[in-house]
Amino acid sequence: MIGLIDSLARPLMGLIDPERAHTLAVLALKLAPLAPARAEDPRLAVRAFGLNFPNPVGMAAGFDKHAEVPDALLKLGFGFVEVGTVTPQPQPGNPRPRLFRLGPDQGVINRLGFNSEGAEAVLRRLAARASKGGIVGVNVGANKETSDRIADYVSQIEMFAPVASYFTVNISSPNTPGLRDLQQGKVFDELTARVVEARERAARRAGPTPVLIKIAPDLALGELDDIVGIARRRRVDGMIVGNTTVARPPGLTDRQQAQEAGGLSGRPLFALATRMLAETYVRVEGAFPLIGVGGIDSGPTALAKIRAGAALVQLYSALVFHGLRLVGEIKTGLAEALSRGRHASLDDLVGVDAAAMTAEPWPT
Ligand SMILES: Cc1cc2nc3c(=O)[nH]c(=O)nc-3n(C[C@H](O)[C@H](O)[C@H](O)COP(=O)(O)O)c2cc1C
């Protein structure tokens, strides 16, 4: 069914305004009669952060910002879904247009700026589906106008703990002025201290909920040293590498769209994000698992992320160009890689290329 919708709708979706196309895609997922997800290849199962993932392919944050369709996405075969970014208070985000396709490059630029229906609306939806199971993470952020950014993360961790499988603390969106400063040494130390305290307080009521930190791919390696050191010392549960980039790789062909302000994602982000993942992996030394995201558009690119250090992967932009059937293709590609190497699980492959990658010239 979704394959049919996909193949009929995608050529049309490419012609209409990208934000309207996104709204229509969410609506289609709300309305489409979807069968329960097919049985998974058991070799694709991953245990990480104390959770059992049926497969390692997740829907990245930003597609289902308001938790409208997590169950439809799970039925389509994602191993987990990350909803959000959610902000405590509702806010409209930046003026439109704020979402751009770079067709020839298979890239996307967005400067949505955390358009959010707010935590209460999202909590209501997640509470209504809580008994359904499946791994649904909640990505939390800070309101643009807030007197205490860190408090915005803390309050949402306490609020969502009963209904979230895990939390992502998003401090890496380029579209909220000043947000990325939370990645800097002293402030990052205070942030992690306070979110880990919130995690512990919430655990007494709601049981354990892991907290992951999502970082930018644009950090300098010295900054990454500090972040990983602090994350390990404060005992966060994992990291997501990473968010969109403010860089514009020289190879982009859609020069006009490339000038739009915002974060770039999709194929042009792959090399940088994968290198940052490998750099993070060698610094983490197995202290916690990583989620690799940025430019995955095939089985081989998902496998490259795993080999660079990802226990799990997420994607978003490639779905705009390839449709939802990509999820199944990626899982098939990963299963074939396991068969080729006679591996019992993906664990065998996590990080095997990381050290070698960090010795390569920096990607441009
Ligand atoms: C339209 C759009 C909106 C996004 N919104 C969010 C968001 O709200 N929170 C977040 O952490 N990441 C957000 N992202 C970043 C994605 O989660 C992901 O990190 C990034 O796009 C790289 O993956 P991709 O190349 O597979 O798209 C957004 C990305 C896109 C394209």
Side-chain angles (χ1 to χ4, degrees):
M1 180 68 189
I2 201 73
L4 186 67
I5 296 175
D6 234 28
S7 50
L8 292 176
R10 209 150 10 93
L12 292 175
M13 294 285 237
L15 297 176
I16 60 176
D17 164 68
E19 191 158 353
R20 193 157 297 165
H22 173 259
T23 308
L24 285 175
V26 172
L27 184 66
L29 289 173
K30 272 190 196 165
L31 301 177
L34 298 172
R38 280 198 223 131
E40 301 280 1
D41 184 327
R43 295 173 304 166
L44 293 183
V46 173
R47 185 164 171 82
F49 321 119
L51 301 169
N52 292 314
F53 295 77
N55 76 67
V57 185
M59 180 77 232
F63 179 82
D64 191 7
K65 280 183 186 266
H66 321 299
E68 294 171 279
V69 288
D71 295 297
L73 292 166
L74 291 170
K75 279 185 187 164
L76 287 169
F78 281 105
F80 62 112
V81 174
E82 187 169 310
V83 302
T85 294
V86 189
T87 57
Q89 301 304 320
Q91 62 175 31
N94 288 322
R96 298 183 192 204
R98 51 192 184 173
L99 183 55
F100 307 89
R101 278 185 294 253
L102 283 66
D105 302 298
Q106 298 206 6
V108 172
I109 291 177
N110 92 81
R111 53 168 180 269
L112 294 168
F114 289 170
N115 52 311
S116 176
E117 291 183 8
E120 263 176 43
V122 172
L123 179 63
R124 234 177 293 122
R125 289 193 190 111
L126 291 177
R129 55 98 32 217
S131 62
K132 289 192 178 160
I135 297 183
V136 179
V138 180
N139 178 309
V140 291
N143 276 115
K144 187 175 178 190
E145 311 288 343
T146 179
S147 53
D148 181 352
R149 282 208 180 97
I150 296 178
D152 282 10
Y153 296 93
V154 165
S155 65
Q156 291 188 96
I157 287 174
E158 292 179 346
M159 185 170 173
F160 284 110
V163 297
S165 304
Y166 69 87
F167 286 108
T168 298
V169 172
N170 178 12
I171 49 172
S172 48
S173 165
N175 303 315
T176 295
L179 192 86
R180 286 180 162 203
D181 297 346
L182 292 170
Q183 297 175 118
Q184 304 301 321
K186 254 179 97 110
V187 192
F188 183 70
D189 192 42
E190 188 194 340
L191 169 89
T192 47
R194 286 172 63 187
V195 298
V196 165
E197 272 166 31
R199 177 190 72 187
E200 300 306 309
R201 267 196 307 280
R204 282 179 228 131
R205 280 182 297 119
T209 312
V211 172
L212 322 183
I213 307 283
K214 184 167 179 179
I215 62 169
D218 303 316
L219 294 166
L221 292 181
E223 293 172 313
L224 185 64
D225 288 340
D226 292 347
I227 285 177
V228 171
I230 292 167
R232 289 178 64 172
R233 190 156 38 79
R234 293 286 180 194
R235 300 198 180 283
V236 308
D237 298 282
M239 284 171 55
I240 304 187
V241 188
N243 217 310
T244 56
T245 179
V246 292
R248 297 290 181 265
L252 291 174
T253 51
D254 197 338
R255 297 307 312 170
Q256 201 182 336
Q257 294 282 71
Q259 288 170 16
E260 293 291 347
L264 172 68
S265 56
R267 190 174 281 176
L269 172 60
F270 179 76
L272 174 65
T274 308
R275 176 61 178 264
M276 283 304 280
L277 173 66
E279 297 284 353
T280 308
Y281 183 80
V282 297
R283 286 164 173 75
V284 168
E285 298 176 309
F288 45 66
L290 302 176
I291 300 182
V293 49
I296 293 173
D297 61 1
S298 62
T301 47
L303 182 64
K305 288 280 188 208
I306 291 168
R307 295 180 65 100
L312 300 157
V313 297
Q314 292 176 322
L315 70 154
Y316 181 172
S317 300
L319 299 171
V320 173
F321 302 102
H322 299 272
L324 283 158
R325 66 181 62 186
L326 183 58
V327 182
E329 284 171 26
I330 290 174
K331 290 193 290 184
T332 304
L334 293 177
E336 284 169 4
L338 289 176
S339 300
R340 266 197 314 276
R342 298 181 198 282
H343 300 291
S345 80
L346 290 166
D347 276 354
D348 290 359
L349 297 172
V350 175
V352 291
D353 290 342
M357 283 186 77
T358 61
E360 287 169 12
W362 195 259
T364 51

